[in-house]
Amino acid sequence: MALLTVLCYPDQRLHKVAKPVAQVDARIQKIVADMADTMYDAPGVGLAATQVDIHERIVVIDVSDDQNELMVFINPEIVWASPEKKSWREGCLSVPEFYDEVERPAEIRVKALNLKGEEFELEADGLLAVCLQHELDHLQGKVFVEYLSMLKQVRISQKMKKRLKELAGER
């Protein structure tokens, strides 16, 4: 499998809305495998295809302690969200080293396809619910920093641009 390049905020490609997957085939299964390798290598607990410049509705997640319980969501959509909200400290592979509180529904139900193209539903709370909502935001072209104040968004954007220039200068 291959490691994919993760786009860094404020890259405009992170704001593209992902298109539905028409058919779960070998191409999609390879993308999922490469995304999983990339997520585990980072290391992270979730990755949306948008973050690796693939604009299709694919998400991989593993919130297990041992990182050995990969979950795959193809064409995921939230079909129910609890009115109760919960605040979590979030981070993102596309915004490395930045973490902040984001309030989201405490529980959700998601409908998606698995790697065989079979539809399933899953109810989630806790870290899994947060991770699912965070990754599904990516598929809609939204990055978690957009939940923060404009001042924080500008600061993070400036710091990320500076970091990217520094990295480019090292090459």
Side-chain angles (χ1 to χ4, degrees):
M1 300 303 139
L3 292 180
L4 305 170
T5 301
V6 177
L7 300 176
C8 283
Y9 180 81
D11 192 308
Q12 287 304 304
R13 292 172 290 180
L14 289 169
H15 299 293
K16 278 189 175 179
V17 175
K19 304 238 183 303
V21 171
Q23 180 180 353
V24 180
D25 54 17
R27 180 184 72 85
I28 296 299
Q29 292 167 347
K30 176 166 181 5
I31 290 170
V32 166
D34 291 346
M35 286 176 59
D37 287 346
T38 302
M39 176 188 71
Y40 287 130
D41 184 69
V45 296
L47 186 68
T50 302
Q51 293 177 269
V52 291
D53 204 20
I54 298 170
H55 302 283
E56 295 183 75
R57 295 187 60 79
I58 306 168
V59 166
V60 295
I61 291 176
D62 189 340
V63 294
S64 68
D65 290 337
D66 296 328
Q67 293 245 287
N68 61 357
E69 296 176 24
L70 181 67
M71 302 174 82
V72 176
F73 301 85
I74 299 168
N75 294 339
E77 60 181 279
I78 296 172
V79 295
W80 174 83
S82 68
E84 177 193 346
K85 305 280 187 196
K86 187 156 187 177
S87 194
W88 284 79
R89 189 163 176 80
E90 293 187 28
C92 182
L93 295 179
S94 293
V95 195
E97 299 175 30
F98 290 95
Y99 301 87
D100 214 316
E101 296 288 320
V102 176
E103 186 178 74
R104 298 183 182 273
E107 297 176 64
I108 59 168
R109 186 178 311 116
V110 173
K111 179 173 73 172
L113 301 177
N114 64 19
L115 261 181
K116 296 177 184 175
E118 302 163 335
E119 189 175 290
F120 69 96
E121 283 196 18
L122 175 82
E123 290 193 15
D125 61 6
L127 179 58
L128 180 57
V130 171
C131 195
L132 277 162
Q133 292 173 82
H134 177 110
E135 301 308 334
L136 269 65
D137 274 354
H138 277 300
L139 299 180
Q140 296 301 320
K142 189 169 185 175
V143 181
F144 91 99
V145 297
E146 294 172 49
Y147 287 98
L148 308 178
S149 71
M150 189 54 69
L151 178 62
K152 284 185 179 181
Q153 289 181 49
V154 169
R155 279 192 190 143
I156 291 170
S157 179
Q158 289 171 340
K159 286 180 182 178
M160 290 299 297
K161 285 177 184 174
K162 182 180 177 186
R163 182 175 295 151
L164 291 172
K165 282 182 186 174
E166 289 169 356
L167 288 173
E170 292 175 6
R171 291 185 182 146

